[in-house]
Amino acid sequence: MSGQQDCALQLQGSIAWPGVCHWGAGALARTVIAAGARLKAPLVVTDASTWRAVRSTVEAAFAAVPGLQWHVYDGVVPNPAVDQVREALRKGRALDCASIVAVGGGSAIDVAKAAYACLAGGLEADELLSPKGQAWLDSASVPDGPLFIAVPTTSGTGSESSSAALVQADDGRKRLYRSNRMRPSLIALQPDLTLSLPLRPTAQGGFDATLHALGAWINTDPSPVGKAMALHALKLCLRALPAVLRSPDSLQARADMQMGAYMAGLAIGMSKVDAVHAMCTPLESRVHGAHAEVLGPIFSVVSRYTAQTAPAPYAAAARMLGIANSGDDGLDALTLIDAVESLARLADIPLRFSDLALSEQDATLLASQAMQSASMPIHPRTLAPEEIKSLYLQMAA
Ligand SMILES: [Fe+2]
């Protein structure tokens, strides 16, 4: 047997598809119809401003279900904390809610995921980090569990299709929960629901989705479906983000951006991301900017460092997307990195931190936290803790 065959036989994995996604015009109404009798006493988990913008559309979709009783928790805030999970859960349990409908961006969907895990698993919010909570998160889905629907109104995190939820713990640190059981089983991608999102969060979400796609593409995870999703998501994001910034009222641009973010979420659900996101999560506990504004400087430093010794995956993407074809991996990789940085500038996302101050001790701690990410070992350039520390210090310089 050749070495290549030997290697192929050792590769293995599983592909967990997320729920059924209805996309395009009228997606929410079609989703509610598809839910049928499984949509029992839903609790809408959202934030106040999103709810003001899309309430009438959600009400119209629910009105098609005779006698449906539903309630709203609209207390989600950006960078949500476990307190919002507690509040949503308290309200859902007090009102006998039996399903969850997340309406909003990544923050609303992440809170809804954690609240759903508690509702479906009979857990309290504080138990999610305990062995009991972890056992539920790790367990297999059951077909007759409570229904969870996601209705994203932003295009960025891909939380609607990923298995992850990022929620700040009581100690201020962001905790990432992962479970295929927290994936919404129905997703409504209705482009006009993203029209009310202002340009700034639209730009930030689009950049985040771009880095999800690129991270899932360049990492060493072997999932062929994850890679296919990542590459197509990257193609869509690189095209749709400039288009949506140029023409924010274009439904086609919004639809492409929404699908790009969704597919990038699919890709990271299957293949995870890379060191850029692994290093972002700990830093976000110290830098209180938007997620994309923390990602920008990290991307600039980490991707250029990575491409010094591992340019191949960046170069392959550049060639497959028709951005570069010099035949030189190093040059083609830099062309792709330049293109992503140009996108950041177009989206008004800084590529340098203006006021980040880190001591050696801070950087050591951040590096040890970044090492805990499941995406760090699959980064295409192996990064030792000392290198990660040095990269953090470069960003602060
Ligand atoms: Fe992200």
Side-chain angles (χ1 to χ4, degrees), residues 47-57 103-105 152-155 190-202 244 248-251 254 258:
D47 63 87
S49 67
T50 297
W51 188 235
R52 274 193 297 277
V54 305
R55 176 182 188 149
S56 58
T57 309
V103 178
T153 61
T154 69
S155 300
Q190 186 165 316
D192 62 288
L193 292 180
T194 68
L195 282 174
S196 61
L197 188 70
L199 216 50
R200 184 133 193 84
T202 297
V244 87
D249 295 331
S250 162
L251 262 186
R254 293 277 184 176
Q258 194 174 42

Side-chain angles (χ1 to χ4, degrees), residues 5 14 20 39 66 93 122 130 156 167 169 196 220 288 321 339-340 344 349 352 356 376 391 397:
Q5 282 173 321
S14 59
V20 174
L39 185 64
R93 283 186 172 143
S130 73
V167 178
S196 61
T220 60
H288 297 291
L321 297 178
V340 175
I349 291 164
R352 292 284 174 270
L356 178 65
M376 190 57 91
L391 291 168

Side-chain angles (χ1 to χ4, degrees), residues 208 212 277 291 295:
D208 182 27
H212 290 163
H277 266 81
H291 178 52
L295 284 172

Side-chain angles (χ1 to χ4, degrees), residues 12-80:
Q12 52 183 267
S14 59
I15 295 165
W17 287 99
V20 174
C21 174
H22 294 271
W23 55 276
L28 177 56
R30 286 183 280 121
T31 298
V32 168
I33 291 165
R38 290 187 66 204
L39 185 64
K40 289 177 197 147
L43 177 71
V44 173
V45 176
T46 186
D47 63 87
S49 67
T50 297
W51 188 235
R52 274 193 297 277
V54 305
R55 176 182 188 149
S56 58
T57 309
V58 177
E59 280 179 343
F62 284 165
V65 184
L68 184 71
Q69 297 287 314
W70 53 280
H71 302 279
V72 181
Y73 168 73
D74 67 355
V76 176
V77 294
N79 296 319

